[in-house]
Amino acid sequence: MRASVRGRLTCASLLLAAVLTGCEASGSAAGPSPRSPSPDSPVQLCTRLISYWAEQDIIGSRWAGLDWEQKGLSNEQFGLYDDIAQEARAEQRRRGKDAALELVRRRSAERCAAANGATHSSENWRPPT
């Protein structure tokens, strides 16, 4: 009986070793974990936020009417958004929705870069206590 148990354990050990070796050889073994992406810069975040909300305005989304706080914009970003959305509405009247959306993307990138992310918050903002 002991030989039977020992034989099964040996067989199981060999099988496990073969499986593990096969995984390593096929490249399935766990390697170094992938690097997490670096966080967006303030300019990238500003561009994404403003272009998203201005696009929502142009396409007539039901969420376009949210206020600046609900949209997650700083006061400075809201000022940029408002200017860009007005420009885009005028462009939409002249050349159509696609031209307006292209203007939104281009102007958001330009204006956010010029304002270094436009992260200045509202004048009534207070640090947490």
Side-chain angles (χ1 to χ4, degrees):
M1 180 104 162
R2 284 184 186 229
S4 175
V5 172
R6 186 175 297 166
R8 283 189 216 151
L9 287 175
T10 302
C11 184
S13 296
L14 289 172
L15 182 59
L16 181 61
V19 168
L20 292 175
T21 302
C23 287
E24 275 184 37
S26 69
S28 300
S33 61
R35 293 179 60 191
S36 60
S38 58
D40 289 340
S41 72
V43 171
Q44 291 168 320
L45 288 172
C46 173
T47 301
R48 286 180 41 214
L49 276 170
I50 291 174
S51 64
Y52 175 81
W53 288 114
E55 287 172 7
Q56 294 302 300
D57 189 78
I58 294 302
I59 64 172
S61 165
R62 71 183 194 153
W63 303 110
L66 298 176
D67 70 21
W68 64 274
E69 288 178 305
Q70 293 167 317
K71 291 176 180 177
L73 301 173
S74 70
N75 273 1
E76 189 177 9
Q77 288 167 343
F78 181 73
L80 295 178
Y81 156 79
D82 195 41
D83 290 347
I84 292 167
Q86 285 180 29
E87 285 181 58
R89 283 186 220 107
E91 183 73 0
Q92 184 176 24
R93 286 189 295 275
R94 283 190 305 271
R95 299 184 49 223
K97 182 171 69 171
D98 290 340
L101 293 172
E102 177 55 37
L103 180 138
V104 162
R105 292 180 198 106
R106 186 180 70 253
R107 295 293 287 147
S108 295
E110 293 167 359
R111 299 282 305 269
C112 286
N116 197 27
T119 57
H120 295 248
S121 191
S122 69
E123 62 278 353
N124 60 358
W125 179 85
R126 302 283 184 271
T129 56

